[in-house]
Amino acid sequence: LATEIARLALMSDDSKTRFKGDLGVSKRVAWAEPLNLHEVKTISKALGGSVNDVLLAAVAGALRDYLVEQGDAVPEDLQVRALIPVNLRSLEKAAQLGNFFGLVFLSMPVGIANPLERVYEVRRRMNELKESYQPILALGLLGTVGMGPNMLQQPLLDILSSKASAVMTNVPGPREPIYLGGARVAEMMFWVPQSGQIGLGVSILSYNNRVHFGLVADRKLVDDPEAVISRFAGEFEKLLFMTLMGP
């Protein structure tokens, strides 16, 4: 725990990209055509990773492609940190109300051009974070400060938000179609809440064997989120092709 506290305290601010900066007032949202969940699971199994690894790698590729199109420099060591919620609730308590999750800072390998290398790097980094105390530390820290006055809460939020550019979460939804008032629910979507100076939110939701992507962005930073999220499917297609062509 002491090591995690020191690591969090000494963590530098996130890289200076167009995804990080002073926020405005308006938000823009966009969503993409869903992916086939069976295909995502097949690729993740072939690469020895998880569905989350593959999807986050596709997100990193989409962010990279967008920066390149905008004419921004994308060095190999460029990192764009994302705050990712980690569920800490046991299965026995899954039906209880309220939130019980920690947060981890994942450095998205945006600087890596090769889609396969991105998956392996995301998997390596996520495994390190899962084995750390960072989620528990974040839960305890936010829970403790959350009971205090705003003069304590706001500085902590400012510090944490300065170290990341986005919030990203992957939520498993119903595996079978559900109905509301006798009508079948065709698709689902949700938007990730953001705090402090974080202006980008990526939401991933699986429902009825399809994976849905949503993106909410601060208009002052990214006024065309559809140009970012439309690249998700293309990045997965690249990964699919490279996996099929591999040994």
Side-chain angles (χ1 to χ4, degrees), residues 173-180 183-188 207-209:
R175 299 180 179 179
E176 304 294 334
I178 61 176
Y179 295 81
L180 181 63
R184 176 172 170 166
V185 177
E187 296 183 358
M188 291 185 180
Y207 166 60
N208 191 24
N209 292 318

Side-chain angles (χ1 to χ4, degrees), residues 108-122:
M108 303 287 287
V110 177
I112 298 179
N114 186 293
L116 287 176
E117 290 183 13
R118 276 200 304 268
V119 174
Y120 295 139
E121 187 61 20
V122 168

Side-chain angles (χ1 to χ4, degrees), residues 30-33 62 203 213-215 224-233:
W31 53 94
E33 288 295 321
S203 53
F213 291 92
L215 178 67
D224 55 346
E226 63 280 351
V228 180
I229 203 165
S230 63
R231 290 170 160 80
F232 287 4

